[in-house]
Amino acid sequence: MYEYATRKREDIMIDLRGRDFLKLLDFTTEEIEYLIEVSQNLKNKKKNKEPHDYLKGKNIALIFEKDSTRTRCAFEVGAYDLGMNVTYLGPTGSQMGKKETIADTARVLTTMYDGIEYRGFEQNIVEELAKYATVPVWNGLTNEFHPTQMLADMLTIKEEFGTLKGLNFTYLGDARNNVANSLMVACAKLGLNFTCCAPKDLFPEEKLVNTCKEIAKENGTTITLTENPIEGTKDANVLYTDVWVSMGEPMELWEERINKLKPYQVNKKLIENANENAIFLHCLPSFHNIDTKIGKEIYEKYGLTEMEVTDEVFESPKSKVFEEAENRLHTIKAVMYETLK
Ligand code: CP
Ligand code: NVA
């Protein structure tokens, strides 16, 4: 048996077997901290080339209605390292959503698989999938939340600073998207002060802000919303941004978002305004140059050579984005292991 089987922490037995992983709001602080610790342990095992195929013989299905590099690869490699077999169901090719309902798909996959990952559109789709599946369902990104990303981000921050508690975290850019929403929840749960730096109409929804404020209060930390990027980045330990237009949003939004979000681009001035030990994180993919198809199109249309982050910051030693990307593997592996063991 794996030595992290279950863990007693301050009289709370942490046992995530059979649980879905749909959003961080469903998990306690202790459970999230525990998953980060398991990720660290699994990362050490991988680095030391210690086999950890504890879930040999199990099968999982990966449903991707949107594109992915990191999340798909992390689920696949994580599953292989744990000894599992994987079926990938891409945006085309399965019956789901076209000829078959989510509920029916869930009941079919449940008969063949031990776990199901879903990346796609509304959060209620993954919630519906979980309602009808009797095996764990993992959210690989929806319009509203991206919970597996949070574990990797927090592991990266912990590796960098040795702790999470009391750090100042600033998110800049489109603060209504899945990553921003999830970061606000993650910071509130894990004891980081969260500052959102964005134009008012791109602040996260009020209801979620209020929920997070309550959680943060219990943990003695703060949630701050500001339109001023200089104020918002002062004393920050972590600067985080994401794309200005997310998957599933129309291309026509680019012009409006560029105009609104240009002042929130993470550049040298903002990094220098933050704490001297500040790091830069980004869930990726990122538009930091014009070497991509969309990057080129934006350049030709709007004349911008970089968007949410400058190439200078992205390529600087302060940028930990590839460490963060690697941590997607170890953290997603921990989620699969803990829910399926
Ligand atoms: N950060 C992230 O989810 O990347 P992918 O879209 O490549 O999975
Ligand atoms: N907000 C981005 C995150 C990609 C990982 C999107 O949804 O496209």
Side-chain angles (χ1 to χ4, degrees):
M1 249 330 251
Y2 183 35
E3 62 264 39
Y4 312 105
T6 45
R7 164 164 169 218
K8 209 165 188 279
R9 191 187 168 109
E10 289 155 16
D11 292 332
I12 308 162
M13 188 61 90
I14 295 175
D15 182 357
L16 302 177
R17 284 174 296 182
R19 288 273 295 274
D20 300 313
F21 192 76
L22 306 180
K23 56 185 185 300
L24 291 186
L25 286 170
D26 302 336
F27 288 80
T28 63
T29 296
E30 289 77 15
E31 286 169 341
I32 302 168
E33 286 172 346
Y34 173 66
L35 283 170
I36 294 171
E37 278 175 39
V38 174
S39 307
Q40 278 169 328
N41 290 325
L42 289 169
K43 182 170 181 175
N44 291 340
K45 288 197 187 281
K46 176 92 177 171
K47 298 277 171 208
N48 297 334
K49 297 195 178 357
E50 266 178 64
H52 44 282
D53 52 350
Y54 311 118
L55 301 180
K56 226 176 182 156
K58 290 194 190 280
N59 302 301
I60 62 165
L62 307 180
I63 303 171
F64 279 86
E65 297 199 303
K66 288 177 179 169
D67 294 340
S68 170
T69 297
R70 280 145 289 271
T71 311
R72 176 182 173 178
C73 296
F75 269 101
E76 290 208 15
V77 175
Y80 298 140
D81 286 352
L82 289 167
M84 297 196 284
N85 306 304
V86 175
T87 303
Y88 172 75
L89 299 168
T92 59
S94 88
Q95 309 281 17
M96 183 168 146
K98 286 157 269 166
K99 282 165 78 180
E100 196 153 38
T101 63
I102 305 301
D104 291 354
T105 306
R107 285 177 290 181
V108 170
L109 295 180
T110 282
T111 66
M112 302 183 199
Y113 293 96
D114 299 287
I116 305 166
E117 179 275 355
Y118 173 84
R119 164 173 288 201
F121 297 90
E122 289 80 24
Q123 179 72 15
N124 62 24
I125 300 176
V126 76
E127 303 270 352
E128 171 101 343
L129 201 59
K131 184 174 158 199
Y132 286 93
T134 56
V135 298
V137 172
W138 310 297
N139 178 358
L141 177 148
T142 58
N143 292 345
E144 291 87 347
F145 293 114
H146 195 7
T148 61
Q149 178 72 49
M150 297 308 109
L151 298 178
D153 298 345
M154 293 300 154
L155 174 59
T156 312
I157 296 170
K158 200 173 165 198
E159 287 174 337
E160 209 49 51
F161 295 98
T163 181
L164 295 172
K165 302 244 182 284
L167 292 176
N168 296 325
F169 184 107
T170 299
Y171 177 89
L172 300 107
D174 172 16
R176 290 215 144 195
N177 76 15
N178 39 23
V179 170
N181 286 342
S182 302
L183 284 167
M184 185 166 63
V185 177
C187 287
K189 291 250 176 195
L190 296 171
L192 296 88
N193 297 307
F194 180 81
T195 299
C196 154
C197 227
K200 251 197 187 90
D201 61 335
L202 290 175
F203 280 173
E205 300 254 346
E206 205 181 329
K207 189 166 169 241
L208 185 64
V209 172
N210 289 338
T211 303
C212 289
K213 279 189 175 168
E214 276 173 34
I215 301 169
K217 204 170 151 198
E218 279 169 29
N219 291 327
T221 60
T222 54
I223 305 279
T224 309
L225 310 181
T226 174
E227 289 194 288
N228 184 330
I230 294 293
E231 248 172 60
T233 50
K234 198 170 176 318
D235 293 330
N237 303 107
V238 182
L239 296 193
Y240 196 119
T241 189
D242 185 11
V243 289
W244 290 344
V245 176
S246 284
M247 289 184 282
E249 293 191 306
M251 280 301 280
E252 295 77 67
L253 259 185
W254 272 111
E255 186 170 354
E256 184 191 319
R257 289 283 168 82
I258 286 171
N259 291 332
K260 280 188 182 162
L261 292 173
K262 247 196 216 154
Y264 302 93
Q265 178 192 65
V266 180
N267 53 28
K268 192 164 174 261
K269 184 174 157 205
L270 290 188
I271 277 276
E272 283 177 354
N273 186 53
N275 194 303
E276 60 179 356
N277 67 8
I279 60 167
F280 170 71
L281 295 180
H282 188 312
C283 56
L284 305 183
S286 152
F287 294 116
H288 57 96
N289 60 30
I290 55 169
D291 298 342
T292 61
K293 188 166 168 272
I294 296 180
K296 242 183 221 90
E297 274 171 34
I298 300 287
Y299 172 66
E300 279 157 17
K301 259 184 143 166
Y302 310 108
L304 247 71
T305 54
E306 42 200 9
M307 281 186 274
E308 72 275 7
V309 56
T310 59
D311 200 47
E312 186 181 20
V313 169
F314 186 91
E315 298 293 355
S316 75
K318 289 198 166 278
S319 171
K320 304 294 170 198
V321 295
F322 295 108
E323 288 85 344
E324 182 186 7
E326 179 196 327
N327 283 337
R328 299 300 307 286
L329 168 65
H330 311 298
T331 46
I332 280 176
K333 194 189 286 181
V335 170
M336 290 192 289
Y337 174 64
E338 284 299 321
T339 54
L340 291 187
K341 72 188 183 189

